[in-house]
Amino acid sequence: MKHSISTLAALAALATSALASAATPEEAAKLKTELTPLGGEKTGNKDGSIPAWTGGYTTPIAGDKAGGRRGDPFKDEKPLYVVSGKNIDQYAALLSDGTKAMLKKYPDYRLDVYQTHRTAAAPQWVYDNTFKNATRAKMTADVVSGAFGGIPFPIPKTGAEVMWNHVLRWRGTSWQVPLNQYQLTADGKAVLTTAGVADEQMPYYFPESSLEQFSKTNEQWLIRLINSGPPIRAGEAIVGRNSIDASKDQAWVYLTGQRRVRKLPNPCCDTPTPSTAGVMSFDELSTWTGRTDRFDWKIVGKQELLIPYNGNKLLQPKTDAELLGKAYLNPDHVRWEKHRVWVVEATLRAGQRHQAPKSRYYCDEDTWNCVLGDRWDANGQLWKTLWSQTFVAPDLPGTVIGAFGYTDLISGTAFVGDLSTAKAAQYPLKPRYQDSVFTPDAMTGEGAR
């Protein structure tokens, strides 16, 4: 009986995904009129608190040095208002469930809300590919086909398509992330779990490639992380190769104590990821880096929401200690703005298992960065609230995710990942890496100590 139910559920999911059709030429034409080239609404809102999109932010930031630290283009702005536990009811319609829970649980937690800037931008070739994807990309059984070099579904019809827009969001072709990562304990201590350098590359966004050439491998994101600390983890490494068909994702780890490379059997979903010392799961990285076949996805709608945005302010302090609060980032260094987001709900698919059977994600209409997420546990309790900080990078150009993490609302613990605040280089763009960089053989030489 259980097997029959699971089979029927899988067939239903397959039928649903197969029915999701690409945009019509008439719909795609809106990407050149009333929508931005990546699919956001070009106009602002009625009261002007969300302005119209006029091309994004592409002006070099004063003081920026290529490959070095990044400045803040909005450093002279002051908050328009502050949201705290004392006035939460006044702004409830603009808050996610997780944000409300944080304001209620932590008296010192607050949102400093600034003027909204629609900084999203991308190269023209990304816009051109996005326009092509609108009418050629489709999903069948949770796998994307017909997409390359741009947002796959700029006019999404399903929740899964929104989440794939986040997974395949524009964030560059080849870049590096020097990082520190911390677990925040319930008693307020910050414990360094990882210090190292991540090299990342997206073959999906190789500008000289094509849909036909990309489709030969379908590998969309490559990453290699080499740990330099803490001392107990120095020399460890992980390599990942993620595919459009997530069932073909591969990852390997190098453990110094064993002096050998091991292939991870299940680099997905709620499996703890070695890149965070096992504190976060694979599908919590950058709010969501998972497989869509574990859940049924539903677009709840679009709404105006206060979200972390244009967070170059977070890159300005010289030490991590200035940023790490009890179970969250220091509100003095976090910028919130009002933006329109797609709200997508995930419900565990019949026959699947996951520690969080229900989740909700909030994805920016302009960049497709899912910057907030909430997860409920098997008892129906709001368990974790996930976040990602974005910053403006005119050299891409783009507005991309930097630091990310979560707060466990039940245990009071938290995690902060990919924090590059104290680093001499912050998301430097790199020349094309050789493919061999992202292999287990190369990792052995780089990680050994």
Side-chain angles (χ1 to χ4, degrees):
M1 178 67 74
K2 290 182 179 178
H3 176 74
S4 298
I5 293 174
S6 298
T7 302
L8 288 172
L11 290 173
L14 177 62
T16 300
S17 60
L19 287 173
S21 59
T24 65
E26 292 75 20
E27 290 174 323
K30 295 179 181 179
L31 295 169
K32 297 186 177 182
T33 55
E34 61 191 73
L35 299 178
T36 74
L38 298 183
E41 296 177 40
K42 190 175 289 186
T43 60
N45 64 354
K46 290 183 179 180
D47 65 9
S49 55
I50 297 176
W53 183 83
T54 57
Y57 195 99
T58 59
T59 305
I61 301 173
D64 271 15
K65 295 183 179 179
R69 293 181 63 84
R70 295 182 177 274
D72 181 2
F74 310 119
K75 61 184 177 64
D76 295 326
E77 295 185 354
K78 303 298 181 184
L80 301 176
Y81 56 92
V82 177
V83 181
S84 68
K86 296 180 180 179
N87 63 355
I88 186 174
D89 292 341
Q90 181 180 348
Y91 298 100
L94 298 174
L95 304 175
S96 68
D97 287 350
T99 303
K100 293 176 188 176
M102 290 290 292
L103 291 167
K104 292 176 181 178
K105 184 178 180 67
Y106 299 104
D108 294 332
Y109 188 72
R110 71 177 197 275
L111 317 183
D112 289 347
V113 183
Y114 291 79
Q115 176 184 346
T116 296
H117 296 281
R118 297 182 68 181
T119 53
Q124 184 60 47
W125 58 268
V126 174
Y127 294 155
D128 294 341
N129 283 329
T130 298
F131 182 77
K132 295 176 183 177
N133 289 343
T135 54
R136 71 184 179 184
K138 62 180 180 179
M139 286 189 64
T140 304
D142 300 287
V143 177
V144 178
S145 63
F148 168 74
I151 301 302
F153 304 106
I155 306 173
K157 308 291 180 65
T158 69
E161 290 180 352
V162 173
M163 301 310 292
W164 268 109
N165 286 349
H166 165 75
V167 171
L168 297 176
R169 64 196 181 275
W170 165 246
R171 43 183 154 156
T173 298
S174 304
W175 67 95
Q176 190 177 78
V177 183
L179 57 86
N180 290 333
Q181 303 191 135
Y182 296 89
Q183 182 179 20
L184 306 181
T185 64
D187 57 358
K189 296 179 181 178
V191 180
L192 180 68
T193 64
T194 314
V197 175
D199 300 300
E200 303 184 47
Q201 187 155 277
M202 288 198 76
Y204 179 83
Y205 278 110
F206 285 176
E208 79 287 353
S209 189
S210 64
L211 173 61
E212 292 72 25
Q213 188 171 346
F214 171 73
S215 298
K216 294 177 182 179
T217 65
N218 276 327
E219 287 188 319
Q220 51 92 0
W221 178 54
L222 312 176
I223 182 171
R224 178 188 65 174
L225 170 61
I226 306 294
N227 292 356
S228 58
I232 194 173
R233 300 192 65 214
E236 291 183 3
I238 183 171
V239 160
R241 303 180 72 98
N242 281 20
S243 173
I244 290 290
D245 181 352
S247 68
K248 298 179 180 179
D249 290 353
Q250 300 181 86
W252 299 264
V253 292
Y254 176 82
L255 303 175
T256 55
Q258 299 178 4
R259 293 190 177 276
R260 64 178 298 182
V261 171
R262 291 185 179 275
K263 188 173 183 178
L264 294 178
N266 189 31
C268 85
C269 315
D270 56 357
T271 302
T273 170
S275 67
T276 65
V279 179
M280 293 188 84
S281 64
F282 277 96
D283 63 7
E284 291 174 337
L285 302 175
S286 299
T287 310
W288 169 258
T289 306
R291 293 176 57 165
T292 56
D293 63 358
R294 297 300 192 261
F295 297 91
D296 292 322
W297 302 87
K298 179 179 71 174
I299 294 177
V300 178
K302 286 181 73 174
Q303 72 175 92
E304 296 179 5
L305 204 75
L306 298 179
I307 59 176
Y309 213 102
N310 294 325
N312 294 57
K313 186 176 184 178
L314 192 70
L315 301 175
Q316 305 315 303
K318 298 299 177 63
T319 66
D320 292 342
E322 298 175 63
L323 301 175
L324 302 175
K326 181 178 179 180
Y328 45 83
L329 294 174
N330 183 346
D332 292 344
H333 299 285
V334 178
R335 180 187 180 100
W336 293 75
E337 297 181 0
K338 184 195 292 185
H339 287 264
R340 287 185 292 248
V341 299
W342 291 88
V343 183
V344 177
E345 192 162 282
T347 305
L348 188 63
R349 188 171 293 178
Q352 299 291 346
R353 294 183 178 180
H354 199 284
Q355 290 181 328
K358 176 186 172 182
S359 300
R360 189 175 295 135
Y361 299 93
Y362 305 88
C363 308
D364 170 43
E365 68 167 342
D366 289 336
T367 61
W368 299 100
N369 293 319
C370 296
V371 292
L372 293 177
D374 294 328
R375 291 191 141 179
W376 283 261
D377 65 15
N379 295 320
Q381 298 180 91
L382 181 55
W383 173 28
K384 288 182 178 179
T385 183
L386 305 159
W387 54 266
S388 290
Q389 291 285 333
T390 66
F391 64 89
V392 186
D395 48 338
L396 268 176
T399 299
V400 299
I401 290 176
F404 58 82
Y406 72 80
T407 297
D408 187 321
L409 294 163
I410 298 175
S411 70
T413 60
F415 186 81
V416 178
D418 276 19
L419 196 63
S420 60
T421 296
K423 301 297 184 178
Q426 298 169 326
Y427 209 93
L429 307 184
K430 292 291 184 178
R432 182 77 50 80
Y433 294 104
Q434 293 186 358
D435 185 76
S436 60
V437 168
F438 306 98
T439 63
D441 289 342
M443 178 174 59
T444 304
E446 291 286 344
R449 65 169 180 173

